[in-house]
Amino acid sequence: MSTILSVSGLRVSYGRIEAVRGVDLSVGTGEFVGIIGSNGAGKTSMLRAVTGVVRPAAGSVTFDGADATGLKSHQMVARGLAMVPEGRMVFADQSVRDNLVLGAYSRIASDPRGVEEDIEKTLGMFPRLRERIGQQAGTLSGGEQQMLAIARGLLSRPRLLIIDELSLGLAPKILDMLFPVLTELNRQGLSILLVEQMASYALAVTHRTYVMENGRVLFDGPSAELAGDDRVLDAYLGRRTRH
Ligand SMILES: Nc1ncnc2c1ncn2[C@@H]1O[C@H](COP(=O)(O)OP(=O)(O)OP(=O)(O)O)[C@@H](O)[C@H]1O
Ligand SMILES: [Mg+2]
């Protein structure tokens, strides 16, 4: 399998706080990879450094075979990486449609028809968004905003989609709808890196999972194996899941 994303020795600091302390991680082309870990483990900080929101203090990021260390967010988007940030960050006072168009800002002028086709495709995936296409994004439910954030990310035609905390604040009913969409996107060839606090969901849908704590990767492995691993059962799933 070729590698779409590879991170080596990554460090992120906020002043004297070391949030990420030397992380190695990779995502294979077509792979669906999860990251779990408790609050403050450094998951978001690691993603911020990968996607160009913050500059890493040390280490390297390789995207699609080329060095991408320290690139800005818009440069990463141009290379084929889309990020659905923690908290979704939709443009609340813009319509659903305008949010989608903004996801395609880099090619809306050169390829308006292609953008329209892509919008249609994402609305097919998320029919709830079609019903609310003219509504201000701020009036959507949390689940609908998450659908919009994913759809907006897809509008940049990424080859790697990164999602930070898909489940945050969402009801199980919504999650049962969202996770299969990710599985289907991955089946269609999209590589996905998912940070997820609901470990049971993440382990069920991903191929491989990294466990992060205190700014480091503790261990990683096939998700199906980790779902039965004592260390994961104790810290992230609780023994209740064991029969
Ligand atoms: N902008 C910031 N300035 C200073 N410290 C920060 C900043 N963002 C995060 N931190 C600190 O860095 C560490 C890692 O935080 P981070 O948000 O990356 O963890 P996380 O694994 O995403 O946690 P969560 O599960 O709560 O989302 C924490 O100690 C946090 O307090
Ligand atoms: Mg976080």
Side-chain angles (χ1 to χ4, degrees):
M1 194 198 297
S2 63
T3 305
I4 183 113
L5 176 72
S6 139
V7 167
S8 174
L10 197 76
R11 290 178 177 272
V12 177
S13 300
Y14 305 104
R16 283 174 24 225
I17 300 169
E18 271 205 293
V20 179
R21 306 161 186 229
V23 162
D24 296 338
L25 166 156
S26 68
V27 179
T29 304
E31 201 180 15
F32 193 166
V33 172
I35 302 176
I36 60 175
S38 40
N39 290 112
K43 306 179 297 292
T44 297
S45 301
M46 197 272 294
L47 294 188
R48 283 196 191 127
V50 166
T51 57
V53 179
V54 300
R55 246 195 113 83
S60 65
V61 176
T62 307
F63 185 74
D64 207 15
D67 181 36
T69 313
L71 290 187
K72 297 274 166 48
S73 295
H74 70 274
Q75 294 172 308
M76 293 306 288
V77 172
R79 290 203 182 185
L81 183 152
M83 164 93 153
V84 177
E86 197 172 3
R88 290 128 211 174
M89 307 297 172
V90 298
F91 300 103
D93 56 357
Q94 308 260 6
S95 70
V96 168
R97 171 176 289 283
D98 287 346
N99 268 272
L100 293 175
V101 170
L102 283 166
Y105 70 92
S106 61
R107 62 197 171 90
I108 184 69
S110 61
D111 184 23
R113 275 189 59 176
V115 171
E116 274 311 311
E117 281 168 24
D118 286 1
I119 288 179
E120 264 310 302
K121 214 156 79 184
T122 58
L123 293 177
M125 235 174 277
F126 298 112
R128 296 266 283 268
L129 293 182
R130 188 190 298 283
E131 293 166 23
R132 287 156 176 69
I133 190 79
Q135 245 171 269
Q136 285 198 341
T139 68
L140 301 180
S141 71
E144 290 161 356
Q145 290 192 17
Q146 189 62 288
M147 292 174 202
L148 179 57
I150 294 168
R152 183 182 59 184
L154 294 175
L155 259 296
S156 68
R157 290 198 175 161
R159 277 166 302 137
L160 174 65
L161 182 68
I162 295 186
I163 304 177
D164 194 4
E165 303 290 2
L166 182 81
S167 74
L168 199 71
L170 303 183
K173 204 175 69 184
I174 305 289
L175 298 181
D176 291 341
M177 205 161 94
L178 281 176
F179 277 100
V181 174
L182 296 187
T183 299
E184 175 57 21
L185 285 167
N186 175 248
R187 207 191 54 78
Q188 290 171 12
L190 183 65
S191 310
I192 303 178
L193 178 59
L194 170 72
V195 164
E196 181 52 62
Q197 202 127 125
M198 303 263 279
S200 57
Y201 278 93
L203 291 165
V205 296
T206 55
H207 301 133
R208 203 157 54 80
T209 296
Y210 289 88
V211 178
M212 274 187 77
E213 286 304 334
N214 293 319
R216 294 193 173 90
V217 171
L218 285 186
F219 53 90
D220 72 291
S223 303
E225 279 174 28
L226 291 192
D229 186 301
D230 280 346
R231 296 166 296 181
V232 173
L233 284 163
D234 282 337
Y236 308 103
L237 296 173
R239 283 283 161 174
R240 277 170 294 120
T241 51
R242 209 169 205 201
H243 300 292

